[in-house]
Amino acid sequence: MSATSAPAGVSVAAPASQGGVRTESDAGVAPRPRPQSAGAAPLAPRAKLLPALAAVYRAQLSRARVARIPLLFVATFQSVGIMVLMRGVVDGGAGGVEARSVVAGSSVLVVAFVALNLLAQYFGQLRASGGLDHYATLPVPPAAVVLGAAGAYASFTVPGTIVTAVAGSVLFGLPMANLWVLVAVIPLAGAALAGLGATLGLLAPRQELATLCGQLGMSAALLLGVLPTTHMPTVVVYARDLLPSTYGVEALIQSFDAHPDWLLILADLAVCAGVGVAALAAATWAYRRAAVR
């Protein structure tokens, strides 16, 4: 009998392939097709503007709560101190025109210190440290980043502005019946100054220049907003009209009148709102420009 033959009635198993391991083809089973390599998973859709704006606003508000409260105290103390110093200089009688300018300008100066000066420094530091790369990787619109940061910084100005306006009204004997105008002045002036501050911080090539621009902007708000216009040269008065916070100051000045001209107040607030929209649009463009470089 041959070594390869087998007795009758005994089945011989098929030889195992590749070292005695039986494959599916050896056992008579059709091999399963190998899955082809899947392509890259699609990215998640970009977040909508309002939810992204709310998320950035909360994050910035939480981050700045501890770091910015001492600076807000400094801004309020600075504005109140300026009013105390000006108390012996300006004329508080005869309608209190100069006194109203000092109180209104000092109140809006708190907004300029936080929304313009500190925001310019923040975006300048963010650009210099590469922090913009983090925001650039997030699926959020650029406008949400700018508006969220601007809104968070402007929110910190509310207590200091109210305290300054009330303290100034008591110090100079001004009526406080129409101080509710601050409800419109703070967000509109804050948007205009925050947009300007963000633009300066994002366009400055170096962090030191962003800090310098923020300081110069706050100094302009101090000199052109607090000092009465009756003693200003004509050229300076025209330059004052170019400052975004001027129209918020003018609206607040008119509110101290016994019979305010509400149409003039609304006109000033409308101009302030238009400047704010333009400033925030410029800040969004500057963010896109800085994020891709």
Side-chain angles (χ1 to χ4, degrees), residues 2-249:
S2 171
T4 57
S5 62
V10 179
S11 61
V12 180
S17 61
Q18 298 180 358
V21 179
R22 297 182 63 187
T23 61
E24 292 178 345
S25 59
D26 295 334
V29 179
R32 289 172 297 194
R34 294 178 178 270
Q36 298 181 354
S37 58
L43 296 176
R46 292 181 65 86
K48 295 182 179 180
L49 177 61
L50 292 182
L53 173 60
V56 174
Y57 174 80
R58 289 194 300 267
Q60 289 290 336
L61 199 64
S62 176
R63 176 191 175 279
R65 183 178 295 129
V66 177
R68 303 307 176 190
I69 285 181
L71 295 175
L72 177 61
F73 174 78
V74 172
T76 306
F77 182 79
Q78 171 185 264
S79 296
V80 174
I82 289 173
M83 290 190 301
V84 173
L85 292 176
M86 297 295 291
R87 181 65 180 85
V89 178
V90 303
D91 181 14
V97 177
E98 296 181 351
R100 287 180 289 168
S101 299
V102 171
V103 174
S106 299
S107 301
V108 178
L109 182 62
V110 179
V111 183
F113 183 86
V114 178
L116 195 161
N117 183 27
L118 296 185
L119 196 59
Q121 296 182 29
Y122 169 71
F123 273 110
Q125 179 185 6
L126 201 66
R127 180 182 179 182
S129 62
L132 289 180
D133 297 336
H134 167 70
Y135 286 104
T137 58
L138 298 178
V140 296
V145 178
V146 174
L147 293 176
Y153 274 73
S155 298
F156 278 99
T157 67
V158 175
T161 305
I162 294 176
V163 169
T164 303
V166 172
S169 299
V170 173
L171 184 64
F172 288 91
L174 299 177
M176 294 185 286
N178 297 320
L179 279 183
W180 56 266
V181 175
L182 288 173
V183 176
V185 171
I186 293 176
L188 295 180
L193 292 173
L196 179 59
T199 303
L200 293 175
L202 289 168
L203 293 181
R206 297 175 56 186
Q207 180 180 353
E208 295 80 7
L209 292 178
T211 302
L212 177 62
C213 291
Q215 293 286 348
L216 291 176
M218 190 195 67
S219 300
L222 169 62
L223 297 176
L224 301 179
V226 176
L227 297 181
T229 58
T230 53
H231 303 295
M232 288 185 180
T234 305
V235 177
V236 179
V237 173
Y238 289 149
R240 182 174 178 267
D241 294 336
L242 301 177
L243 192 66
S245 60
T246 297
Y247 304 96
V249 173

